[in-house]
Amino acid sequence: MAAEHRVPAPRLESQLADHLHGFLRDLRTSGLCVSTPKQLDFLHGIEIGRPNAIDVLYWIAVTTLTSSLRDRDVLDPVFARWFTDESIPPSPAPEDGPADDGEVPGPVGRDATATAENVDPRGTDDGLEPSAADLEHRRRFDVAPRAALDEMARIRQLAPTVIPAVRSYRRKPSRRGHWLDLRRVCTLARRTQGEIIVLRRRSRPRRQRRVLLLIDVSGSMKQYSTAYLRLAHALIAGCERAEAFTFGTRLTRVTPALRTRDVDAALGSLTDLVRDVDGGTRIGAVIDEFLDNPRYVATARDAVVIVLSDGLERGECQQMHRTVRRLSLLSHRLVWWSPLAVDPAYRPRTRGMAGILADLDALAGVDDLTSARTQLERLRATCTSERHHIGERRDRIPETTRSAS
Amino acid sequence: MSTLSRDDLAERLVAERYFADDGLITAVHLAKTLSRPLLLEGEPGVGKTEMALVLARALDRELVRLQCYEGLDASQSLYEWDYPRQLLELRSAETSERGAADLYGADFLLERPLLRALRVDSGAVLLIDEIDRADSEFEAFLLEFLDGFQITIPEIGTVTPTTPPLVVLTSNRTRELHDALKRRCFYHWIPFPDADREREIVRARAPGLSERSAAVLVDAVNTIRGLAPLKPPGIAESVAWAQGARTLADEGWEWADAMRAAIGLAVKHEEDLALVDGHDSQVYST
């Protein structure tokens, strides 16, 4: 059936055809690259659907030409330009970007703003635009001294032994295991005229849990960020599945940058990536942003989550409490490492920290790589023992009578 | 069957009490007519899976369902040889001194959902549910299947269907799907329905509900969605809430009280319950 529909070219009146091809061309120049098969689908769709209203034509275009919700941001204005005068009601079309090459509205400009908005919907009013001040941060990450490199090597070796492992769901052939590998047993048996001589087995191989690092790079953490980022570099190299994010006033995923083998080069490349170094902290808002992104949330689910921060929240504490609780529920273990806690006299009395103790599995002091390694060793006990939160929940949501009042 | 028009399709869906908007109907119609897989995304509980279930009934086709999970592989989704039977056949052929049957014939083939969907003569509706839960290796494995709806089994050859199945994939966007997969599919994002449509849905699924009660309930659901809870209630939640509250209303409860008592069917986070309690007058304004 498929072939039947794909072979003959659609018989459309030439004027209409020109209009449709113009629309498709405009779509391409606007930044939505639609492959030829998809364009053919669009034309076939019109033949089959016989749209008698612009709405139907719009939905044919959406179905055949887009492959994600974001594509509609490009499609909608172009469609409106070619087929209607006003924008399409179902989803508001974004305004066109500045025209930068003749009469075609600038797709590049619009694309750029769209991605910027995806990263941080709050825009630029919190001073996130790169400025001359950023240049100073280039010098922030010093070349790692010998001692730091040695310590990192130790952490890399230590990591696989402390990160808990779970069984993978994909059964692999192995020497011993719970499951008979019927396929291999039978293949072997056929060689011996159906006589089973050896059994082969399958097992679920062990696989490390994910590790998620959330690193505070705000002003109050200035003297520790370098060590923290080196720690992240070592953990990403040493663990099977580690992810690292930095946060200050906004959230940045730094895992790909930290995969660079050389630690100085890796940290150097962060200078361009992390734009909010030494700024304020909005822990609640940032974790909220993290939790809003389903792909990010997937990295926290059943993971060992380590937050490296002093917990000095500049925003409202309520939000921080709420989001940390959710993070705790998502994670396997939630551990908070604070440079302040190195001091034995430290008590988490700030409103921000006091409210989240009930959701933490451990609160420990980490201010350099050596203390990080000590805490990593303790992580093994935290992860293997039964889950036990360190604080009491004080602000418990009151039991309300939801029955007839 | 392939000449089913868009309007006919819409009618049949309504007859099955599924109220799709124009976009979804167009997407399904095109996917069916051009025999392309259809990828449905949307918030949890907007009726992605339900769409496939209803389609099977509406088109009078067999539904074949493949629930994805981490570690899903070819032997669980495509086909597997019946190894114990093969061995028994070998042994019995040995004792009875007759020639063994073809060990790789159709008799020894265990069909799994993807193969099953190809072998239904009148065409099946294949639901590949929550594709984002499977790992990316599985996604890559699906590409050949989605391309031409055929499967190559080395010992038998290529299996092609007499009628191509109507394939519906759903995703909750817990991870980004590969572009190669998306390129092969028609894509539709199912939004939350508008209030009128949701009232229709609620009344169809919770029969016996008065128009006014349904309106109150849908308004409440929309208010809750507007409060930015952790998990905005989907249509599935609205329907469950309506059904639960109606059961209580039948026992003589006031509608607003019945809704309060059954709130757990719509809101499932402790934080969200507190949020709803805090906005009691807004949510239950009648």
Side-chain angles (χ1 to χ4, degrees):
Chain A
M1 189 170 70
E4 258 172 38
H5 283 294
R6 279 175 207 176
V7 178
R11 293 174 299 278
L12 296 164
E13 289 165 47
S14 66
Q15 207 181 353
L16 178 62
D18 284 348
H19 196 74
L20 288 173
H21 286 302
F23 164 65
L24 289 172
R25 211 167 28 246
D26 194 6
L27 213 52
R28 206 163 39 233
T29 48
S30 301
L32 184 64
C33 286
V34 184
S35 62
T36 316
K38 287 209 153 212
Q39 297 189 7
L40 275 179
D41 282 338
F42 174 59
L43 299 175
H44 284 307
I46 293 173
E47 260 213 331
I48 290 156
R50 298 253 159 238
N52 45 10
I54 285 299
D55 269 3
V56 178
L57 180 65
Y58 172 76
W59 288 116
I60 291 175
V62 167
T63 303
T64 52
L65 299 175
T66 66
S67 59
S68 72
L69 196 56
R70 230 176 306 149
D71 288 350
R72 284 204 210 167
D73 295 347
V74 183
L75 178 85
D76 287 355
V78 178
F79 187 89
R81 208 156 48 231
W82 283 82
F83 297 107
T84 57
D85 285 327
E86 60 275 308
S87 59
I88 307 296
S91 51
E95 71 276 18
D96 286 349
D100 53 5
D101 51 358
E103 58 270 74
V104 184
V108 185
R110 186 169 51 235
D111 251 2
T113 44
T115 24
E117 274 164 15
N118 288 342
V119 174
D120 191 341
R122 276 163 294 279
T124 57
D125 39 340
D126 37 12
L128 301 178
E129 283 292 292
S131 67
D134 260 351
L135 290 174
E136 291 179 356
H137 302 324
R138 273 180 198 287
R139 275 175 274 130
R140 280 198 70 255
F141 305 119
D142 306 325
V143 172
R146 189 73 237 167
L149 292 176
D150 290 346
E151 199 62 71
M152 285 172 64
R154 266 176 240 135
I155 289 175
R156 274 200 302 277
Q157 281 173 2
L158 180 68
T161 66
V162 293
I163 302 304
V166 283
R167 297 241 179 239
S168 152
Y169 282 98
R170 179 155 287 171
R171 296 174 194 171
K172 292 259 168 65
S174 75
R175 305 186 106 220
R176 55 183 77 161
H178 286 298
W179 293 275
L180 269 185
D181 190 346
L182 275 180
R183 182 183 304 184
R184 286 196 303 156
V185 168
C186 295
T187 318
L188 286 176
R190 274 204 314 280
R191 290 187 199 156
T192 49
Q193 278 72 48
E195 200 71 55
I196 298 174
I197 294 172
V198 274
L199 290 181
R200 296 276 186 236
R201 294 177 175 277
R202 269 171 189 264
S203 69
R204 288 168 56 188
R206 293 181 83 77
R207 190 181 188 195
Q208 266 177 34
R209 276 188 190 276
R210 292 172 190 278
V211 180
L212 170 67
L213 291 164
L214 294 170
I215 303 168
D216 189 342
V217 289
S218 61
S220 58
M221 299 290 288
K222 192 170 184 172
Q223 60 187 116
Y224 313 108
S225 354
T226 316
Y228 286 178
L229 289 168
R230 284 180 190 147
L231 169 69
H233 185 270
L235 283 178
I236 286 170
C239 301
E240 283 172 23
R241 298 185 292 171
E243 286 281 342
F245 291 81
T246 62
F247 67 90
T249 49
R250 66 194 242 186
L251 184 74
T252 318
R253 179 166 175 255
V254 291
T255 321
L258 289 180
R259 286 226 178 87
T260 311
R261 208 183 163 86
D262 181 71
V263 63
D264 298 324
L267 262 57
S269 67
L270 291 186
T271 320
D272 297 327
L273 190 68
V274 185
R275 302 267 179 78
D276 52 345
V277 177
D278 299 348
T281 334
R282 297 183 312 155
I283 302 175
V286 164
I287 300 182
D288 218 13
E289 192 185 332
F290 178 89
L291 295 171
D292 262 351
N293 185 328
R295 265 157 243 147
Y296 289 175
V297 168
T299 65
R301 189 160 277 137
D302 290 334
V304 177
V305 180
I306 303 174
V307 183
L308 292 145
S309 168
D310 53 12
L312 297 179
E313 170 72 321
R314 300 282 157 82
E316 46 159 338
C317 291
Q318 284 295 323
Q319 192 184 25
M320 174 174 162
H321 298 167
R322 210 177 54 235
T323 52
V324 170
R325 183 167 311 153
R326 250 197 95 201
L327 194 62
S328 169
L329 289 171
L330 276 170
S331 65
H332 173 65
R333 294 288 186 273
L334 174 61
V335 175
W336 198 288
W337 288 350
S338 161
L340 306 177
V342 173
D343 180 359
Y346 170 76
R347 295 287 175 274
R349 290 240 172 82
T350 55
R351 273 211 308 142
M353 287 307 288
I356 63 167
L357 288 180
D359 300 301
L360 300 184
D361 294 284
L363 171 64
V366 169
D367 60 353
D368 57 10
L369 287 168
T370 314
S371 52
R373 188 161 58 87
T374 317
Q375 292 307 327
L376 262 182
E377 273 163 7
R378 292 203 187 142
L379 195 61
R380 191 185 297 137
T382 313
C383 290
T384 46
S385 62
E386 205 172 315
R387 191 162 199 186
H388 177 76
H389 296 305
I390 51 175
E392 290 252 325
R393 176 146 296 162
R394 265 173 269 170
D395 50 14
R396 205 162 204 356
I397 295 164
E399 291 294 318
T400 41
T401 43
R402 292 198 182 83
S403 51
S405 45
Chain B
M1 186 153 51
S2 58
T3 52
L4 188 73
S5 77
R6 187 178 170 281
D7 295 341
D8 289 344
L9 179 71
E11 262 173 42
R12 288 204 195 178
L13 289 180
V14 171
E16 291 293 335
R17 300 186 303 169
Y18 191 98
F19 302 90
D21 59 14
D22 284 350
L24 183 56
I25 290 172
T26 311
V28 171
H29 176 57
L30 288 183
K32 179 175 177 301
T33 322
L34 293 174
S35 44
R36 287 299 175 86
L38 175 64
L39 171 62
L40 295 177
E41 287 190 335
E43 298 286 337
V46 290
K48 301 186 290 290
T49 305
E50 188 67 18
M51 178 79 244
L53 306 184
V54 165
L55 258 182
R57 289 203 300 271
L59 302 174
D60 201 17
R61 288 183 171 204
E62 182 178 331
L63 177 81
V64 181
R65 182 172 183 166
L66 175 64
Q67 173 69 49
C68 294
Y69 54 88
E70 199 184 329
L72 181 66
D73 62 19
S75 68
Q76 288 145 342
S77 60
L78 196 53
Y79 68 91
E80 182 72 297
W81 293 106
D82 196 342
Y83 298 111
R85 275 195 69 192
Q86 283 181 334
L87 274 192
L88 282 175
E89 174 69 25
L90 263 186
R91 300 302 290 263
S92 68
E94 201 178 34
T95 49
S96 69
E97 295 185 355
R98 63 172 168 83
D102 180 10
L103 288 182
Y104 290 102
D107 287 351
F108 297 97
L109 191 65
L110 295 175
E111 53 185 29
R112 302 280 192 237
L114 294 185
L115 184 59
R116 173 72 201 148
L118 296 187
R119 289 177 137 202
V120 178
D121 279 336
S122 51
V125 172
L126 172 64
L127 167 64
I128 302 179
D129 211 6
E130 308 193 46
I131 176 75
D132 50 337
R133 280 179 189 263
D135 33 31
S136 39
E137 289 92 333
F138 181 72
E139 227 177 278
F141 158 78
L142 265 186
L143 295 179
E144 186 211 346
F145 177 81
L146 294 180
D147 240 354
F149 297 133
Q150 58 180 39
I151 287 171
T152 308
I153 300 175
E155 296 88 351
I156 289 184
T158 305
V159 181
T160 41
T162 40
T163 314
L166 176 53
V167 181
V168 178
L169 298 101
T170 72
S171 158
N172 281 328
R173 296 216 300 173
T174 55
R175 70 186 173 79
E176 176 88 29
L177 298 179
H178 202 279
D179 276 343
L181 180 83
K182 285 184 150 187
R183 213 180 53 229
R184 285 164 173 81
C185 300
F186 284 162
Y187 175 85
H188 186 75
W189 169 270
I190 306 187
F192 281 126
D194 54 35
D196 285 344
R197 195 182 302 278
E198 191 160 10
R199 272 199 290 278
E200 257 182 296
I201 297 170
V202 166
R203 290 197 66 201
R205 294 293 165 110
L209 203 63
S210 77
E211 205 162 314
R212 193 176 142 64
S213 307
V216 171
L217 185 119
V218 169
D219 285 349
V221 170
N222 277 317
T223 314
I224 296 173
R225 281 181 199 148
L227 296 174
L230 292 181
K231 160 82 180 74
I235 304 170
E237 276 80 19
S238 315
V239 169
W241 195 15
Q243 287 168 343
R246 205 188 62 94
T247 310
L248 293 176
D250 286 349
E251 290 168 14
W253 290 49
E254 287 288 318
W255 182 243
D257 295 336
M259 275 169 60
R260 270 195 196 88
I263 183 73
L265 291 166
V267 177
K268 293 166 187 172
H269 279 270
E270 199 183 14
E271 290 86 338
D272 290 350
L273 284 173
L275 189 71
V276 171
D277 278 344
H279 295 80
D280 190 88
S281 56
Q282 263 172 279
V283 174
Y284 301 107
S285 62
T286 42

